[in-house]
Amino acid sequence: MTLQFAGKKILVGALALSLVAGSGVIIPSQISAAAALTTPFKDVSSGHWAEKHIAKLALQGIIEGNTTTSGAFMFRPSENVSQQEAVLMALRFAGLDKKADQNAIIGFPTSFAVSNFFKAYVTLAFQEGLLDQKEEFELAAKDTKVAWGTKPATREWVTKLLVRAIEQEEEAARLQNTVSTFSDASQISTIYNGYVNAALKLDLVKGVTTVKFDPKANVNRASLATMFSRAEKLYPVAYEGQVNGIASRITDSSLTLYSDKKETSYTIDADTLFYHYDKETPITKQQLLEYGDVTVIAKDGKAKYVEVKGDKQYTKTISGTLDRLIAAEKKIYVWIDNKPVEIFYNDSVAVVDTEGNPLSLSAIKRDSQISIVQDSFRETPQAIKIVASPQATTTKASGTFYGTDGELITIKTDNALVSKFMAETVTVEIDGVVGATVQDLIKEADEVELTFDDKDQVTKVKVAKRSVKMIAGAQVASFIYDKKLLTVIDATGGNAQALYFTDKTKIDYNGTAITLASASSMLTQNRKIIISYTGNSIISLQFVTKYVGTLVTLNASSNLMTIKLDGGAVISVPYNTATVESSAISNAGYSDLRVGDTLSLELGSTQDRVSVIKVHTNTQYEVLSIDTVYKRLRIKNAATPAFDLSVLSTDLLNEVGAKLTVDQVAPGSMITVSYIGKQAISARVVPVTFGKIQSITPNSVTIVDLAGQTLAFNGDAGFQIIKGTSQGNATSLLAVGDYVEIQKPDGVKTQITAAIGESRTFTSYNSSTAQIWTEITSTTDNRNYFNVMSNTKYFLNGNAVAITAFKAGDKITIYSFRNNVVAIVK
């Protein structure tokens, strides 16, 4: 009778494969009975030539042994394997044995004898193509002395079975006529020649010696286990408890594996087996390749078997200059190729100096040269190791004051600019100035000494020398070009000064640096200028078209307004005919001006009075959409309806001041727009983090963000908490499990807003617009749709699901901010 030849199999998984003993009785494994051995079997001692493969297959559940009458758990590695047993092994290795029909009535030719237990499996092997039925029937008919089923499997026969089991018939056919290099090649039957060549090429089998294959020799259980183990690299199978991934961390007691975009830690101990893919003998834990490919076979959280699968480390090294540390978000900014680059780290990052001495990350000073080893396998790479130059313990620094932005103070020392963060309270000492502040410092004029605290923040600025003087509102009396001599009088018309231009004099006209030759025609009598000088040398000269400073006084009776310029000088100018521009007030007037406001005062053609007063303001908005063609942002806030902000001439900046393009600003972002009058000068993206609260203390809030990272926000600078109609500074307003939005709109306080869940009835999801729609709750409900983001979370009965899991009519709770959904829960 002839059986139909089935097509190729599809690998669906692996089932336990028993290397059946001669009796044919299968006994469940008792791996724990031999914990002291490298394998669970009493008769496979440490050092056995096949121990690696036997141990792996036993832990995978592929091979099992027998328990003797004395209770010993045995494998019998040197015992021969019959052909029918080898067939069952191959089927189980490939996850096909469950397809065997044990109830089928099967008849074979009388010359083809198979034990009843194995008939269904041999039939399945014919159907699945592991065996050639015609070929095996003919072989059995030629040798009737030994039953086909119980006949010991030879090396050449098993080789063909294995090559067909892993679907490498084409390779065997291609190598059929290749001459073997073995001295006994003539003993290899013609029908097996291509399979032996293929198996050797694929490193599935080896010769019994370097020159001899011994094709007719019987295959024992240890050899067959080795062949199946080697075949896994070409025919991978997902075994229970087995995980392939990258070793992201190795300690004395654990191994952390990165796989499927998540990390899992396994305990390791003296019983854990360690191997290398190209070695047969065990290796030590110290020989594992950190950040390389490994396979782990684990049970109950413990790694039983660990194998190094390659020699590549998934890391890269970058170098740059430290800009700042943001500990709450576990990230640093590093200047690389003149661009600020965001680098994330976790608590396991190693931080050392170039001499190998451990450092705390906070001890590395700004502008230090650092080298960073990053992993290259995560979607968001993590810093593995940070190496910095040795950090000096200097608590003071001296240089020329160069400027401040309110958070940083910059000095120039040894022709290099050094910036330091200022502490919350900074003491400023200037001889002759009572109650001096940082704003009283004069750029490139004051020689200062900075004092730092243990956080490397500036707590004190002392002006050691001030040699530059400034005259605001000075008038040109005369100018002699060939002598570079300029005579000026002060704003009152007195105090004449004869001053000289030098090669280092800076000349500014309306924000643009110009040469003395270009300026000479404008240095006419009575021309208004702002001039700084030391001795009789001019440091800088600015032609006055406007003044920028903070409002000191506004005197309605004299029609004079007094402002303090950035350089520290104070000037009074008439304003009674001026108009007022403010982005915050439609028709602003003098009464809307406040002491301390930053103003730009544009002067009339005669330079003697203010024509336009422009108020500097900062306003926060939500970005609704972007227009990359016309370079516009659609924005709004609680007080302002949606409108289009053109950014053709407006700088778009990220949180550290690096420039962005329009398409780099995401809808839903928060931006702070800086205005001078009604003109938007810059728009800076406000860093916003969404997540779910994990823990709360009076001084900190820890969340898990939408990317799964754990982030802690401390309250050193205070909190601003908003939850529904409740507002305050205490974290007690929040609760574990709250979905929150965290931002720093003023760069100081941490603002945390908790979402209040909305109960809705789901109707549909529009993938093209990324919106979900819900039933209208009332006749006035005009916001029954919500925008979903790429990282929006969806939960059904406590389990994470895709949005497609929700059906029309489902009752859901939506957590959102400004109609942008953070999470949907059913």
Side-chain angles (χ1 to χ4, degrees):
M1 59 188 69
T2 303
L3 298 176
Q4 294 297 316
F5 186 84
K8 295 299 179 186
K9 63 187 179 301
I10 298 175
L11 183 62
V12 294
L15 299 173
L17 165 63
S18 298
L19 287 181
V20 184
S23 64
V25 179
I26 302 173
I27 307 296
S29 69
Q30 301 173 18
I31 293 177
S32 61
L37 300 174
T38 57
T39 75
F41 308 110
K42 291 289 186 183
D43 54 351
V44 181
S45 59
S46 178
H48 188 282
W49 66 271
E51 68 171 314
K52 170 184 178 179
H53 306 290
I54 294 170
K56 181 171 70 169
L57 269 63
L59 289 167
Q60 289 172 330
I62 296 175
I63 60 173
E64 297 180 345
N66 302 95
T67 302
T68 65
T69 55
S70 63
F73 191 54
M74 312 293 281
F75 178 64
R76 296 184 175 88
S78 60
E79 187 173 291
N80 291 337
V81 177
S82 70
Q83 292 187 155
Q84 61 191 10
E85 291 168 348
V87 169
L88 177 56
M89 297 171 198
L91 288 169
R92 288 183 170 168
F93 171 77
L96 297 169
D97 63 303
K98 295 301 182 183
K99 296 176 66 174
D101 185 357
Q102 298 290 355
N103 297 319
I105 299 175
I106 300 172
F108 290 136
T110 55
S111 60
F112 191 79
V114 178
S115 302
N116 287 334
F117 174 77
F118 293 97
K119 284 184 177 180
Y121 296 109
V122 174
T123 299
L124 180 63
F126 288 148
Q127 294 171 338
E128 295 292 333
L130 273 69
L131 295 176
D132 185 313
Q133 176 180 283
K134 180 181 177 182
E135 180 181 289
E136 298 302 329
F137 281 0
E138 290 176 352
L139 290 172
K142 290 178 182 178
D143 183 7
T144 58
K145 294 180 181 180
V146 182
W148 182 94
T150 57
K151 180 181 180 180
T154 64
R155 282 170 55 81
E156 62 181 6
W157 185 89
V158 163
T159 298
K160 182 174 182 178
L161 175 68
L162 181 58
V163 170
R164 292 172 74 95
I166 64 171
E167 301 178 351
Q168 292 293 326
E169 295 97 321
E170 289 185 4
E171 184 68 9
R174 192 179 67 82
L175 298 173
Q176 172 63 29
N177 297 320
T178 300
V179 178
S180 173
T181 58
F182 287 115
S183 61
D184 57 353
S186 61
Q187 299 178 27
I188 302 173
S189 300
T190 302
I191 59 174
Y192 300 123
N193 191 63
Y195 292 96
V196 172
N197 286 335
L200 289 167
K201 179 181 178 182
L202 298 172
D203 197 29
L204 301 178
V205 297
K206 299 180 184 296
V208 294
T209 70
T210 57
V211 297
K212 186 177 180 182
F213 183 70
D214 202 3
K216 310 300 182 187
N218 298 333
V219 176
N220 62 32
R221 292 159 60 80
S223 295
L224 193 57
T226 301
M227 293 171 70
F228 279 124
S229 174
R230 288 173 178 161
E232 287 183 10
K233 66 186 177 183
L234 300 175
Y235 205 66
V237 181
Y239 299 104
E240 184 179 358
Q242 179 171 315
V243 184
N244 299 318
I246 296 172
S248 60
R249 192 182 185 197
I250 302 171
T251 69
D252 290 338
S253 60
S254 70
L255 182 148
T256 301
L257 198 67
Y258 181 86
S259 179
D260 292 334
K261 299 182 181 180
K262 64 180 181 180
E263 288 184 300
T264 305
S265 293
Y266 302 93
T267 59
I268 55 177
D269 57 22
D271 293 332
T272 301
L273 304 177
F274 300 103
Y275 284 96
H276 192 275
Y277 73 96
D278 66 349
K279 293 182 175 62
E280 300 294 318
T281 55
I283 63 173
T284 64
K285 176 176 69 65
Q286 288 71 28
Q287 291 174 281
L288 293 179
L289 182 66
E290 198 164 22
Y291 312 114
D293 293 304
V294 297
T295 293
V296 172
I297 303 174
K299 183 178 181 182
D300 300 328
K302 177 184 174 182
K304 298 283 190 177
Y305 179 97
V306 180
E307 183 174 346
V308 176
K309 303 302 289 185
D311 299 316
K312 177 182 178 180
Q313 276 191 305
Y314 296 92
T315 62
K316 62 180 180 180
T317 302
I318 56 178
S319 298
T321 303
L322 179 66
D323 182 75
R324 67 180 67 188
L325 163 68
I326 305 177
E329 299 178 36
K330 286 186 169 56
K331 67 180 177 182
I332 59 175
Y333 282 98
V334 180
W335 284 97
I336 300 174
D337 295 332
N338 295 319
K339 296 179 181 178
V341 178
E342 188 177 54
I343 306 292
F344 288 93
Y345 64 91
N346 57 35
D347 292 334
S348 64
V349 65
V351 185
V352 297
D353 63 22
T354 52
E355 298 175 359
N357 302 311
L359 287 173
S360 66
L361 196 52
S362 60
I364 303 177
K365 294 179 172 56
R366 185 185 176 96
D367 299 321
S368 294
Q369 290 294 316
I370 61 175
S371 178
I372 302 165
V373 181
Q374 281 183 300
D375 65 51
S376 59
F377 52 85
R378 293 183 176 89
E379 286 186 349
T380 302
Q382 295 276 340
I384 296 164
K385 186 176 183 180
I386 299 174
V387 181
S389 55
Q391 300 298 296
T393 57
T394 305
T395 58
K396 291 187 178 182
S398 299
T400 303
F401 174 69
Y402 195 78
T404 177
D405 64 359
E407 289 186 51
L408 296 167
I409 185 170
T410 302
I411 62 172
K412 189 173 184 179
T413 176
D414 296 328
N415 294 319
L417 296 179
V418 178
S419 297
K420 295 290 183 179
F421 281 102
M422 293 185 290
E424 187 172 349
T425 302
V426 178
T427 301
V428 179
E429 291 184 2
I430 303 174
D431 287 344
V433 180
V434 179
T437 67
V438 173
Q439 285 69 38
D440 293 309
L441 299 172
I442 301 176
K443 180 180 179 180
E444 297 184 301
D446 287 338
E447 298 295 325
V448 297
E449 180 184 82
L450 308 182
T451 302
F452 310 122
D453 60 14
D454 57 358
K455 296 180 180 179
D456 201 35
Q457 294 180 328
V458 177
T459 58
K460 181 180 177 180
V461 181
K462 182 178 180 179
V463 176
K465 181 181 179 183
R466 171 172 283 182
S467 58
V468 176
K469 297 179 181 180
M470 174 184 286
I471 306 175
Q475 297 180 48
V476 175
S478 65
F479 172 59
I480 304 174
Y481 180 74
D482 58 346
K483 297 185 181 298
K484 297 183 180 180
L485 172 62
L486 179 71
T487 305
V488 298
I489 56 176
D490 64 21
T492 64
N495 193 24
Q497 299 283 329
L499 305 171
Y500 290 89
F501 287 96
T502 71
D503 293 339
K504 295 183 179 180
T505 300
K506 296 178 181 179
I507 305 174
D508 177 278
Y509 181 79
N510 206 22
T512 302
I514 61 174
T515 64
L516 179 59
S518 299
S520 61
S521 63
M522 294 184 285
L523 292 172
T524 56
Q525 192 173 24
N526 298 324
R527 182 76 185 221
K528 294 286 184 68
I529 58 173
I530 299 174
I531 194 166
S532 297
Y533 64 96
T534 178
N536 63 355
S537 298
I538 301 171
I539 301 298
S540 66
L541 181 146
Q542 178 184 349
F543 287 99
V544 178
T545 58
K546 63 180 179 182
Y547 294 113
V548 179
T550 55
L551 181 62
V552 178
T553 61
L554 192 71
N555 192 321
S557 61
S558 62
N559 291 319
L560 287 177
M561 62 189 315
T562 303
I563 65 168
K564 185 177 182 180
L565 305 183
D566 290 343
V570 175
I571 189 167
S572 297
V573 287
Y575 69 90
N576 59 306
T577 60
T579 58
V580 180
E581 279 189 18
S582 173
S583 66
I585 303 171
S586 298
N587 297 302
Y590 304 139
S591 60
D592 296 308
L593 301 177
R594 300 287 182 270
V595 171
D597 282 350
T598 300
L599 307 175
S600 288
L601 307 182
E602 296 186 358
L603 303 178
S605 58
T606 58
Q607 297 181 289
D608 60 352
R609 63 184 59 248
V610 180
S611 62
V612 182
I613 302 170
K614 294 185 177 180
V615 183
H616 293 220
T617 55
N618 293 312
T619 308
Q620 194 172 77
Y621 301 96
E622 174 194 0
V623 178
L624 301 177
S625 62
I626 63 172
D627 183 340
T628 58
V629 176
Y630 293 101
K631 303 293 188 294
R632 295 182 299 201
L633 303 179
R634 186 76 173 168
I635 61 177
K636 72 167 188 177
N637 60 21
T640 307
F643 69 98
D644 290 326
L645 174 69
S646 173
V647 291
L648 282 170
S649 58
T650 301
D651 287 336
L652 284 177
L653 309 172
N654 69 6
E655 58 190 88
V656 295
K659 288 191 175 182
L660 302 174
T661 56
V662 173
D663 57 353
Q664 290 177 303
V665 180
S669 299
M670 300 298 295
I671 60 171
T672 297
V673 179
S674 296
Y675 292 93
I676 297 179
K678 296 185 180 297
Q679 176 65 44
I681 303 302
S682 67
R684 184 186 291 256
V685 174
V686 177
V688 176
T689 304
F690 297 102
K692 189 175 184 179
I693 294 182
Q694 187 180 65
S695 63
I696 303 170
T697 71
N699 295 311
S700 69
V701 176
T702 301
I703 70 167
V704 176
D705 71 9
L706 298 185
Q709 295 188 87
T710 300
L711 305 175
F713 295 85
N714 63 57
D716 290 348
F719 286 116
Q720 176 66 32
I721 311 294
I722 303 171
K723 187 173 184 179
T725 58
S726 300
Q727 295 190 30
N729 300 319
T731 59
S732 57
L733 286 171
L734 303 170
V736 171
D738 280 349
Y739 288 97
V740 294
E741 173 192 79
I742 301 180
Q743 57 178 291
K744 294 184 176 182
D746 58 2
V748 181
K749 287 188 176 182
T750 301
Q751 179 174 300
I752 303 178
T753 305
I756 305 299
E758 293 186 55
S759 296
R760 290 273 180 173
T761 301
F762 182 84
T763 58
S764 63
Y765 167 63
N766 187 327
S767 59
S768 62
T769 60
Q771 292 175 330
I772 67 160
W773 289 79
T774 63
E775 291 183 3
I776 295 174
T777 58
S778 67
T779 56
T780 59
D781 184 4
N782 60 359
R783 53 177 299 275
N784 60 317
Y785 70 90
F786 297 81
N787 303 311
V788 298
M789 302 178 287
S790 60
N791 51 8
T792 298
K793 302 300 182 184
Y794 310 98
F795 298 97
L796 182 62
N797 299 324
N799 299 313
V801 295
I803 194 169
T804 52
F806 297 113
K807 308 299 180 186
D810 282 351
K811 302 297 182 183
I812 58 175
T813 301
I814 298 176
Y815 297 90
S816 67
F817 296 93
R818 299 174 298 280
N819 232 42
N820 296 314
V821 179
V822 175
I824 300 177
V825 179
K826 178 185 176 185

